[in-house]
Amino acid sequence: MSLTWLQLGLASVSGALVALLLSVFGGGGSVLAVPLLLYLVGVRDPHAALGASAAGVALNALTALAGHARAGRVRWRPALTFAAFGVTGAWAGAALAQRIDGRALLLAFAGAMVTVGLAMLRPARAEDPSAALPNRPSRLVQLRLAGAGLGVGAASGFFRIGGGVLIVPGLMAATGMGLAMAQAASLVSVAAFGATTAATYAAAGWLDPALVSAMAVGGLGGAALGLPLAARLGRNVTLARRLFAGLIILTALYVAVRAVTGA
């Protein structure tokens, strides 16, 4: 895939926007990566857009994970257990997605976007300071982590969604950990699922290193802008999250219309 300098610049802008939204809202930003690559950057193949999105989001997640790890907020054993089983699901989901016609895949992706948007409209569960999860989860918790990881990983690999929208609730349901702790731990899975999905697309010849690099460079700037913006939102974060959810749903409708009409 040959891209112009203008397209690479737009890919960098797209990466910055996705990283900014992920930093501010803790989830949902990655679902806009594919529409941005298709309709702003001009990537023609949906599979190429899905692969680049997976790789770009994985790199952005690693950057954010490093910050949480330095602050000591990551519970590594539960995070790694969830991610390890999720990688298997992500690989299977991504492999299945590659066998589906590009237009049908976009319709499925649009449906997933609507699900993400509706999930973001629900009130976030409050953090419980007393819910301190040990680094050594019990066998029952490990089984729950394995099952949740497989299911969320498969959905992430197939639809290229996940992040705070699926992984965080999966971790909270499996372990009982609070919201902030789950958000930090989720970045392990976001990076692992994205890298796994990107690897399957790379093996199929649908991954453009230049496109991924442009998104990653833009993502560094977007993350740097997103952190202070998140602090400034303060009491308005709920309203902003709802507006963002509405944007995701509207974008999903646009993607569905383009897929149906072939425009």
Side-chain angles (χ1 to χ4, degrees):
M1 180 170 52
S2 179
L3 298 174
T4 66
W5 285 107
L6 175 60
Q7 287 178 304
L8 290 175
L10 291 173
S12 184
V13 171
S14 300
L17 179 59
V18 169
L20 185 149
L21 292 171
L22 284 171
S23 299
V24 173
F25 299 106
S30 59
V31 299
L32 291 180
V34 173
L36 285 170
L37 290 174
L38 288 173
Y39 308 126
L40 177 63
V41 179
V43 176
R44 294 183 177 275
D45 193 330
H47 294 99
L50 286 163
S53 167
V57 169
L59 291 172
N60 289 338
L62 286 175
T63 301
L65 177 63
H68 284 287
R70 284 194 297 268
R73 289 190 289 266
V74 182
R75 295 295 183 267
W76 288 104
R77 284 181 182 266
L80 290 172
T81 299
F82 189 96
F85 282 92
V87 161
T88 303
W91 187 276
L96 177 60
Q98 292 172 29
R99 298 177 179 272
I100 297 177
D101 174 74
R103 187 176 297 183
L105 186 60
L106 281 181
L107 283 173
F109 181 79
M113 287 184 71
V114 172
T115 301
V116 168
L118 292 176
M120 292 189 72
L121 289 174
R122 294 165 54 188
R125 185 170 126 186
E127 179 70 81
D128 181 4
S130 65
L133 181 74
N135 259 318
R136 292 175 176 262
S138 66
R139 288 187 178 181
L140 178 59
V141 171
Q142 288 178 344
L143 288 174
R144 290 175 179 171
L145 284 167
L150 280 170
V152 171
S156 177
F158 186 86
F159 294 114
R160 266 316 310 141
I161 61 174
V165 178
L166 291 180
I167 298 172
V168 169
L171 283 167
M172 293 172 72
T175 65
M177 66 171 65
L179 178 61
M181 190 184 297
Q183 285 176 334
S186 75
L187 292 170
V188 177
S189 293
V190 173
F193 295 176
T196 301
T197 302
T200 65
Y201 282 94
W206 276 318
L207 196 65
D208 187 332
L211 182 60
V212 174
S213 299
M215 289 189 68
V217 170
L220 293 174
L225 290 174
L227 291 175
L229 180 58
R232 290 184 181 181
L233 280 175
R235 297 177 181 177
N236 294 324
V237 67
T238 300
L239 175 60
R241 186 179 175 88
R242 289 173 179 171
L243 291 174
F244 179 43
L247 174 62
I248 290 177
I249 294 172
L250 289 175
T251 304
L253 296 176
Y254 178 76
V255 170
V257 170
R258 291 288 295 261
V260 170
T261 62

